[in-house]
Amino acid sequence: AQTVTQSQPEMSVQEAETVTLSCTYDTSENNYYLFWYKQPPSRQMILVIRQEAYKQQNATENRFSVNFQKAAKSFSLKISDSQLGDTAMYFCAFKAQGGSEKLVFGKGTKLTVNP
Amino acid sequence: GAVVSQHPSWVICKSGTSVKIECRSLDFQATTMFWYRQFPKQSLMLMATSNEGSKATYEQGVEKDKFLINHASLTLSTLTVTSAHPEDSSFYICSARLGGDYGYTFGSGTRLTVV
């Protein structure tokens, strides 16, 4: 069974600075997808970024980028130029390609951006 | 983009009554939907996977007779909490699988309070 571990329950960062959230996962699958979701105080789950395991290039979405290390089974999220609106819970999630369609979530990291 | 509309956003009910939560895919057909429960400051816990036209698949430990899931059409899945008790109070979120491995989209959640 796949597991996703987020070792940082809480983090804080000053506005305009850069912060990195860590995520590691365990799987025997070779093909899979990884996601970072954001859950702001409204509790709406919002997709931040996704990565296909077969792609070596790290995904980037504006201020958000990932450092995907397949061999190390690591998938960290870097937020550049942090904004107050980035304050949220961030969940790392895994989905195997084919087979089960379930998303496996980590326990989340609460990020606070301070003015 | 693909939107899942979830209603109601909050509901208060008396112990022993039943509550129905609806999730509709507005601009796409959702053959598979997922129902999650989220306790405060915790991650999403998958309760069940519903497939259009067939019985839902429940996760271990989830009472299928208490949490009735119906996915009668490609755009509507419902979760009914039967004979609700205060311990059923929680935040419930639905999610739909997007085709082509573009991930998942989430409803805005329902806060259920049983008094």
Side-chain angles (χ1 to χ4, degrees):
Chain A
Q2 291 89 3
T3 58
V4 176
T5 302
Q6 293 180 249
S7 59
Q8 306 149 315
E10 294 191 34
M11 292 193 73
S12 63
V13 64
Q14 291 299 121
E15 198 174 4
E17 293 188 347
T18 295
V19 64
T20 298
L21 309 183
S22 65
C23 171
T24 58
Y25 57 94
D26 187 28
T27 184
S28 58
E29 301 282 341
N30 190 49
N31 297 315
Y32 48 87
Y33 300 87
L34 295 162
F35 306 85
W36 277 99
Y37 281 93
K38 167 185 177 181
Q39 188 180 40
S42 67
R43 303 191 78 172
Q44 172 72 59
M45 293 287 285
I46 301 166
L47 177 65
V48 175
I49 201 165
R50 67 191 292 269
Q51 173 84 42
E52 292 93 337
Y54 64 87
K55 290 187 177 178
Q56 292 186 336
Q57 187 172 7
N58 290 322
T60 299
E61 288 288 342
N62 300 314
R63 299 183 293 108
F64 300 88
S65 61
V66 298
N67 182 2
F68 173 49
Q69 301 290 330
K70 190 173 183 179
K73 295 180 182 175
S74 171
F75 183 61
S76 60
L77 174 70
K78 185 172 84 170
I79 306 174
S80 303
D81 186 26
S82 297
Q83 300 176 359
L84 296 179
D86 295 334
T87 293
M89 281 290 289
Y90 286 81
F91 294 100
C92 179
F94 171 101
K95 179 201 171 300
Q97 184 178 19
S100 172
E101 296 194 345
K102 300 177 190 178
L103 265 182
V104 178
F105 285 95
K107 291 188 175 182
T109 296
K110 182 180 179 182
L111 175 68
T112 301
V113 179
N114 298 308
Chain B
V3 175
V4 170
S5 176
Q6 183 172 347
H7 293 279
S9 55
W10 61 271
V11 58
I12 301 173
C13 71
K14 291 185 177 179
S15 243
T17 62
S18 295
V19 173
K20 180 184 284 188
I21 301 170
E22 291 189 350
C23 269
R24 293 181 183 273
S25 56
L26 297 186
D27 47 5
F28 68 103
Q29 293 182 332
T31 54
T32 303
M33 282 195 175
F34 305 88
W35 287 93
Y36 296 88
R37 185 172 181 176
Q38 186 179 30
F39 292 103
K41 299 183 180 180
Q42 293 190 25
S43 188
L44 281 69
M45 181 188 79
L46 180 65
M47 299 174 66
T49 302
S50 75
N51 292 292
E52 184 267 337
S54 63
K55 291 184 178 180
T57 302
Y58 290 80
E59 295 299 301
Q60 192 172 9
V62 177
E63 298 177 62
K64 57 182 68 177
D65 293 332
K66 167 168 271 299
F67 299 100
L68 299 179
I69 291 172
N70 184 279
H71 194 159
S73 78
L74 286 171
T75 59
L76 175 65
S77 178
T78 61
L79 166 67
T80 301
V81 182
T82 63
S83 186
H85 289 98
E87 56 265 31
D88 298 326
S89 298
S90 192
F91 191 70
Y92 294 88
I93 307 175
C94 66
S95 172
R97 174 90 163 75
L98 299 175
D101 276 324
Y102 289 100
Y104 304 77
T105 186
F106 289 80
S108 53
T110 297
R111 177 175 298 283
L112 169 64
T113 302
V114 185
V115 297

